[in-house]
Amino acid sequence: MATGKINVSVENIFPLIKKFLYSDHEIFLRELISNATDATLKLKHLSSLGEAKLEYGNPMIEVKIDKEGKKLHIIDQGIGMSEEEVKKYINDIAFSGAEEFLDKYKDADKDSGIIGHFGLGFYSSFMVADKVEIITKSYTDEPAVHWSCDGSPKFNLKKSNKKERGTEIILSIADDSTEFLEENRVTELLQKYNKFMPIPIKFGTKTETLPKPEDAKEDDPAPTIEVDNIINNPNPAWTKKPADLKQEDYKNFYRELYPMQFEEPLFHIHLNVDYPFNLTGILYFPKLTNDLSIQKDRIQLYQNQVFVTDNVEGIVPEFLTMLRGVIDSPDIPLNVSRSYLQADGAVKKISSYITRKVADKLTSLFKHNREDFEKKWNDIKIVIEYGMLSEEKFFEKADKFALYPTVDGTYFTFEELKEKIKALQTDKDDKLVVLYASDKESQHSYIEAAKAKGFEVLLLDSPIVPHLMQKLETSNEKLSFARVDADHLDNLIKKEDTQISKLSDEEKEKLKANIEEVTTDKGYTVQLEAMDSEASPFIITEPEFMRRMKEMQQTGGGGGMFGMGNMPEMYNLIVNINHPLVSEILGTKTAKKRDRLINQSLDLARLSKGLLKGEELTKFISRSYEMIK
């Protein structure tokens, strides 16, 4: 029996300290099973090259709990280690066996799927164990060995009578980590980190029911059999070629990823690239809500089928973190804990590729079946609008598929929309004004007024619309957006209208003075307009710029960006001087009646705008009943 000290030198003491970067102790099981997978895949690779003169067979990894003995076993049927290899790979901390193996077989390792790169995974065992043992036998004729260590730099190494190739790791679980002796806890970890590992993982057994024999009686119980409980799917959909998968396969995989998600995804995007980096995966577009905060962290990042994290920020563009699915790449650089991305040019290339792939898929869906694409628009628009706002390359591609729905359910692309507006607005040299509504119900009267003039009104109701409109206006100098209840609308209608004022200049001045006298403390800017007599007598509008700045403040834009603090309330009171009621106000003999008519008309306009609330609304209702009596 040999004894000695683990080689902790100046060169490798820093990686040893790094093991404390593992944020969760539970990560040890992922690391040990990753090592077991590496050992098995190495054997498969050597067998395929003819260097391992043995039958590869159908190896599996087994996890066993010895609750009474307070031990956890991880057993593989992989390449194993000789005594010299144990000394080299275990005692010389952070000397990565996988790195050396890949370097040796670098010309033939494209499909080997070796996972380990850091050499520290094994030492995560000491976060949960008082003692760690390795019983291993190489695939060669070297004798088996038994290594053990209590977490100090001292170790024991002796011969073992193990006959089969492979490695068994035995953890003597510490008193503060007995949760890892519970079957439910281990099952949870295996399904979290190792659900799609490329080698079958056995954890206990399960009972399966067999068909009844033909001669069995009706009340005879069906026969059962105990079988290995394989907890993982070694061949998940993303590892296969798109040509080998049907639509139902993609749906089944979605259910496997999200068993508690009952709604089907709208469509999927299969990622598969091997140059200039390796990346596979499947992204799904689910039905989305306007609440961005609950949508994120649903994409799972894997490295050679080992789960790493569901925080994919930096790899996936931020606007696509609202999607679901899997991304798997051996080229994503991770630190020793495999938990955080390092800054790297490859990551940026991967992010750009995913952006382009998603844009191409959306373009294809739009061209292939526009009608179906329009039906799905409300469920995916938040992602697309966010992408247009945050990713310049995506914005450039989006004009091919981004849709702008009207309040009547008609959809336009941006180019179609511009042509439609040009046909409606007579002065082709001026800016084109796109009218839109953010709430069909509360802005109904304004929508109807605009439609009566022949204008299309878009329905733009997602929370990031103010920011997106600003970007669209910046990239299209001859175009601006105005909500139907904004002051721009009146100018636009006025340009189209040829209504002649029924009042003289003297009457206009008198009317304006009367109204301003009543509304002086309400903060309205009074504007007299000659409009159709059927139009409302009083209309309240809000300057587009001021309203949009307030909205951007609420979604994290304007206030912090421009340092304006809280934007003031600013409204215009548009008075239709051709309306009969306005003529009655002007002709009223008593100031009391005139003031009452102005206040009632103003409150009706405020009610239409949604500005009449609380005590003022109560007073308005009481006053209305009095007028009826």
Side-chain angles (χ1 to χ4, degrees):
M1 179 171 127
T3 62
K5 285 191 176 183
I6 296 172
N7 180 14
V8 182
S9 64
V10 174
E11 287 77 16
N12 57 29
I13 193 169
F14 184 70
L16 175 60
I17 297 171
K18 285 283 189 179
K19 78 187 179 86
F20 295 105
L21 289 180
Y22 288 100
S23 55
D24 296 312
H25 286 187
E26 69 179 36
I27 227 77
F28 82 94
L29 190 57
R30 179 190 74 180
E31 296 297 322
L32 293 181
I33 290 180
S34 296
N35 289 345
T37 302
D38 277 350
T40 309
L41 293 176
K42 287 177 186 177
L43 183 67
K44 181 180 181 181
H45 195 56
L46 293 176
S47 298
S48 68
L49 295 176
E51 293 196 19
K53 308 297 183 182
L54 47 80
E55 187 67 33
Y56 176 69
N58 297 298
M60 68 171 59
I61 297 165
E62 183 175 7
V63 179
K64 294 197 300 185
I65 293 175
D66 175 7
K67 197 164 185 180
E68 187 175 335
K70 296 180 65 176
K71 292 182 179 180
L72 184 67
H73 301 249
I74 295 92
I75 306 163
D76 70 60
Q77 300 162 12
I79 198 171
M81 289 183 286
S82 65
E83 182 175 345
E84 288 304 311
E85 287 170 328
V86 169
K87 291 177 180 178
K88 183 177 183 180
Y89 298 136
I90 302 301
N91 297 343
D92 289 344
I93 295 171
F95 187 98
S96 173
E99 288 283 9
E100 183 185 53
F101 184 87
L102 287 177
D103 185 61
K104 182 178 178 181
Y105 296 100
K106 61 185 176 183
D107 295 327
D109 74 336
K110 288 184 178 179
D111 298 315
S112 62
I114 307 302
I115 296 164
H117 292 287
F118 311 110
L120 284 177
F122 167 73
Y123 280 87
S124 64
S125 308
F126 289 101
M127 294 191 297
V128 300
D130 290 330
K131 179 182 178 182
V132 179
E133 300 172 73
I134 303 173
I135 303 173
T136 183
K137 178 173 173 55
S138 172
Y139 73 100
T140 64
D141 292 332
E142 294 285 332
V145 293
H146 184 168
W147 178 96
S148 62
C149 178
D150 61 2
S152 71
K154 294 182 180 180
F155 70 89
N156 291 318
L157 184 62
K158 61 183 180 181
K159 302 294 182 184
S160 168
N161 59 4
K162 179 177 172 64
K163 302 299 183 186
E164 303 81 18
R165 71 168 191 267
T167 300
E168 179 175 4
I169 307 292
I170 306 170
L171 307 184
S172 296
I173 300 298
D175 291 338
D176 62 356
S177 300
T178 53
E179 63 181 287
F180 301 114
L181 293 171
E182 299 296 330
E183 185 175 329
N184 288 343
R185 180 67 168 129
V186 173
T187 299
E188 175 195 346
L189 295 182
L190 292 174
Q191 291 181 342
K192 177 179 179 179
Y193 293 109
N194 308 108
K195 189 175 182 178
F196 300 110
M197 293 289 280
I199 304 299
I201 300 170
K202 174 187 175 182
F203 184 50
T205 60
K206 62 182 179 180
T207 303
E208 284 193 356
T209 302
L210 299 175
K212 285 186 179 182
E214 291 184 2
D215 58 349
K217 296 179 181 178
E218 186 176 344
D219 56 350
D220 285 348
T224 60
I225 186 174
E226 290 293 312
V227 298
D228 292 341
N229 180 33
I230 304 300
I231 59 90
N232 63 319
N233 173 5
N235 300 295
W238 84 79
T239 64
K240 302 174 184 178
K241 296 178 180 178
D244 297 334
L245 295 168
K246 298 178 181 178
Q247 191 67 24
E248 193 59 32
D249 295 323
Y250 287 107
K251 289 183 178 180
N252 289 337
F253 182 58
Y254 184 79
R255 296 185 195 107
E256 190 174 0
L257 284 173
Y258 310 104
M260 300 306 292
Q261 184 65 41
F262 302 109
E263 282 191 338
E264 296 284 357
L266 298 170
F267 52 86
H268 67 270
I269 300 169
H270 198 133
L271 306 171
N272 194 347
V273 63
D274 55 16
Y275 182 83
F277 47 80
N278 287 291
L279 181 140
T280 55
I282 301 173
L283 295 179
Y284 294 91
F285 264 79
K287 288 187 176 182
L288 299 172
T289 69
N290 284 343
D291 188 350
L292 305 182
S293 61
I294 65 171
Q295 305 293 341
K296 294 186 177 183
D297 295 338
R298 299 296 185 90
I299 296 177
Q300 300 173 14
L301 174 64
Y302 287 77
Q303 190 183 73
N304 286 322
Q305 296 177 237
V306 183
F307 175 77
V308 176
T309 181
D310 55 10
N311 181 2
V312 293
E313 186 177 351
I315 303 173
V316 175
E318 187 178 0
F319 77 99
L320 292 178
T321 58
M322 292 175 281
L323 303 187
R324 294 175 185 168
V326 164
I327 291 174
D328 190 332
S329 175
D331 292 331
I332 294 173
L334 305 170
N335 67 6
V336 290
S337 69
R338 308 185 189 200
S339 299
Y340 301 98
L341 291 172
Q342 297 169 342
D344 188 271
V347 170
K348 294 179 181 177
K349 291 178 182 177
I350 289 172
S351 179
S352 296
Y353 166 78
I354 294 173
T355 298
R356 187 176 72 252
K357 191 75 173 178
V358 169
D360 291 345
K361 177 70 173 185
L362 292 168
T363 301
S364 173
L365 290 169
F366 176 76
K367 290 181 177 179
H368 179 68
N369 191 340
R370 176 166 177 166
E371 183 180 354
D372 184 62
F373 192 81
E374 289 180 356
K375 289 178 182 177
K376 294 174 179 175
W377 178 254
N378 282 335
D379 295 313
I380 64 174
K381 65 182 180 183
I382 191 71
V383 172
I384 296 174
E385 290 171 351
Y386 191 15
M388 292 171 67
L389 185 63
S390 59
E391 293 283 334
E392 194 61 38
K393 290 183 178 178
F394 188 79
F395 178 80
E396 293 168 3
K397 288 177 172 285
D399 63 350
K400 297 177 182 177
F401 54 78
L403 293 176
Y404 300 86
T406 70
V407 291
D408 297 321
T410 305
Y411 290 84
F412 295 103
T413 63
F414 202 60
E415 288 303 315
E416 292 168 347
L417 182 65
K418 286 195 289 187
E419 291 303 313
K420 182 78 172 177
I421 297 171
K422 284 180 183 178
L424 288 170
Q425 295 183 19
T426 55
D427 189 350
K428 301 295 192 298
D429 295 326
D430 281 352
K431 269 191 175 182
L432 298 176
V433 181
V434 181
L435 300 182
Y436 73 97
S438 58
D439 188 322
K440 284 172 64 175
E441 298 302 320
S442 66
Q443 294 154 15
H444 182 267
S445 62
Y446 296 91
I447 293 170
E448 292 303 308
K451 286 168 61 178
K453 296 293 181 182
F455 295 108
E456 291 285 359
V457 180
L458 300 184
L459 179 61
L460 305 178
D461 55 0
S462 69
I464 59 175
V465 157
H467 304 274
L468 180 59
M469 286 188 299
Q470 188 172 10
K471 186 172 181 64
L472 289 167
E473 288 169 342
T474 302
S475 60
N476 296 269
E477 293 182 0
K478 290 250 176 182
L479 181 141
S480 65
F481 286 81
R483 206 167 76 177
V484 287
D485 55 351
D487 55 347
H488 293 71
L489 174 60
D490 303 290
N491 296 331
L492 194 61
I493 292 175
K494 183 181 177 182
K495 186 173 77 170
E496 289 287 303
D497 220 325
T498 56
Q499 292 292 325
I500 300 173
S501 172
K502 296 180 180 179
L503 301 182
S504 65
D505 290 343
E506 185 180 346
E507 288 174 317
K508 290 180 188 177
E509 290 180 14
K510 181 182 176 183
L511 175 65
K512 188 172 183 180
N514 288 336
I515 294 174
E516 286 179 342
E517 185 179 342
V518 175
T519 62
T520 185
D521 60 339
K522 293 183 170 64
Y524 292 101
T525 301
V526 179
Q527 298 178 13
L528 305 183
E529 300 284 354
M531 300 163 65
D532 191 295
S533 61
E534 298 298 319
S536 299
F538 281 23
I539 301 171
I540 293 175
T541 64
E542 185 176 9
E544 176 73 11
F545 173 77
M546 297 300 292
R547 182 193 51 73
R548 200 184 296 183
M549 288 302 298
K550 282 196 296 183
E551 289 181 355
M552 290 176 69
Q553 270 189 333
Q554 294 167 3
T555 56
M561 190 184 303
F562 300 104
M564 291 185 176
N566 293 324
M567 302 293 292
E569 299 287 337
M570 291 181 62
Y571 296 100
N572 297 324
L573 176 59
I574 312 297
V575 180
N576 178 9
I577 58 178
N578 286 345
H579 195 280
L581 180 58
V582 174
S583 298
E584 186 174 343
I585 291 172
L586 189 61
T588 299
K589 302 299 182 184
T590 65
K592 184 177 180 181
K593 181 179 180 182
R594 182 177 63 244
D595 292 352
R596 188 170 71 246
L597 287 174
I598 292 172
N599 278 319
Q600 190 72 3
S601 300
L602 176 62
D603 283 351
L604 283 168
R606 294 172 69 199
L607 187 66
S608 177
K609 180 72 172 168
L611 297 174
L612 199 61
K613 299 175 182 177
E615 184 180 355
E616 290 183 320
L617 177 58
T618 302
K619 288 181 178 179
F620 167 75
I621 294 171
S622 298
R623 187 170 67 246
S624 298
Y625 281 131
E626 287 299 320
M627 292 178 71
I628 292 173
K629 287 194 295 185

